Amino acid sequence: MEATLFYQLVIHGILLGGIYGLIAMGLSLIFGVMGVINFAHGQMMVVGMYISYWIFVLLGIDPYVSLVVVAAAIFIMGYLIQASVVNRILDYPEAMQVLPLVALGLILENTALLLWGPDHRSPHTSSSLETLWIGGVMIDVSRLIAFAVAILITIGIFIFLKKSNIGKCIRAAADNRMGATLVGMKVNRINNISFALGAATTGAAGALLVPLMPISPHIGHDFTTTAFVVVILGGMGNLLGALLGGLILGIAESTATLVLPATLKQVVSFTILIAIMLFRPQGLFGGKK
């Protein structure tokens, strides 16, 4: 019985970790290109969750289908934020970069609170109550679909960055911003696209989470923290590390419930964060890739 419970928790952690990885990948992409930490990352995800929720309520479109619209909407929002705010603070000291992005996160959070109120909302989609059984292990179909889509999006981002001309420009700007400018690349435009792409990934992750958890304007802080832990665990600016770090954190949080209450999962996250900062500050998988 204990072995079955352990396997159940490991699978649950893997499925959740895939979404963690997708959220963290956007944060890692933004940092890898511009060296800026997006403190509004979780709040952007919450906006994506609300867009997906209202598309479902008003039009009956499943969040897994509306994900494309949500990602596009958050992409546009990210592009505008980068063009109007972040590009202007790139050369500021790091401490001065933090405040505008923290302020932006608070603006997004309170706008969501103003528009939709403080109540938690939890839609029931067609797959909400469906389960699969493998031996004695139960798999939630909603989590399985979310994990599969998150992995597909992650693979798509890797292919985009490796094969497309824009992706190659993003990688060039990440490696040497000054060199990219000298060879004629429009670095500000590349920055806009990079930030927008990172925002779109967290918006997509938000849509994937809609069937899995209640939505509230205030949950963005928890996911921003989770994304930071995953990025530091995998290595700042390392996209593959973000995915693997998400899987590791998801499994750690899930299996920790064998000895800790589920409400204390952030104890696990911060314990891992402290251990990594003390013993391997470059992350488990090194630096940029």
Side-chain angles (χ1 to χ4, degrees), residues 182-263:
L182 291 175
V183 298
M185 292 185 186
K186 298 180 180 179
V187 174
N188 280 349
R189 180 171 175 270
I190 293 170
N191 289 343
N192 295 348
I193 294 172
S194 300
F195 194 97
L197 184 60
T201 60
T202 196
L208 294 177
L209 285 170
V210 167
L212 306 182
M213 63 182 298
I215 309 167
S216 164
H218 304 297
I219 63 174
H221 299 288
D222 291 341
F223 282 99
T224 298
T225 302
T226 297
F228 286 158
V229 174
V230 171
V231 168
I232 292 171
L233 178 60
M236 296 294 283
N238 188 320
L239 299 187
L240 179 60
L243 175 60
L244 296 176
L247 294 174
I248 292 170
L249 183 63
I251 293 171
E253 286 187 351
S254 184
T255 54
T257 57
L258 289 170
V259 294
L260 291 173
T263 53

Side-chain angles (χ1 to χ4, degrees), residues 12 15-16 19 64 139-148 212:
H12 179 275
L15 298 182
L16 181 61
I19 302 176
Y64 302 129
I139 300 176
D140 187 331
V141 171
S142 293
R143 294 184 184 275
L144 183 60
I145 294 173
F147 173 80
L212 306 182

Side-chain angles (χ1 to χ4, degrees), residues 26-172:
L27 188 67
S28 189
L29 176 63
I30 292 168
F31 179 83
V33 175
M34 290 165 283
V36 171
I37 299 176
N38 180 18
F39 284 90
H41 203 67
Q43 286 79 4
M44 288 182 176
M45 189 200 74
V46 171
V47 173
M49 293 179 77
Y50 273 110
I51 293 173
S52 180
Y53 171 80
W54 284 109
I55 290 176
F56 175 73
V57 170
L58 298 176
L59 303 177
I61 299 175
D62 195 280
Y64 302 129
V65 178
S66 66
L67 178 147
V68 177
V69 176
V70 173
I74 304 302
F75 180 95
I76 294 170
M77 183 176 73
Y79 192 100
L80 294 175
I81 289 171
Q82 174 66 30
S84 61
V85 178
V86 182
N87 272 336
R88 300 172 185 270
I89 64 173
L90 285 179
D91 296 324
Y92 288 11
E94 291 181 1
M96 293 182 67
Q97 292 177 351
V98 170
L99 292 177
L101 291 167
V102 170
L104 179 63
L106 292 173
I107 290 170
L108 292 175
E109 178 181 343
N110 284 279
T111 299
L113 183 64
L114 178 66
L115 293 175
W116 298 301
D119 296 335
H120 287 75
R121 302 173 187 268
S122 185
H124 296 287
T125 64
S126 58
S127 59
S128 292
L129 302 178
E130 294 185 16
T131 57
L132 294 175
W133 289 87
I134 300 177
V137 177
M138 182 186 71
I139 300 176
D140 187 331
V141 171
S142 293
R143 294 184 184 275
L144 183 60
I145 294 173
F147 173 80
V149 175
I151 295 300
L152 288 175
I153 293 172
T154 301
I155 293 171
I157 291 172
F158 276 113
I159 293 174
F160 173 79
L161 292 175
K162 292 286 186 182
K163 301 297 184 182
S164 71
N165 289 332
I166 296 177
K168 292 175 182 177
C169 290
I170 290 173
R171 289 164 53 207

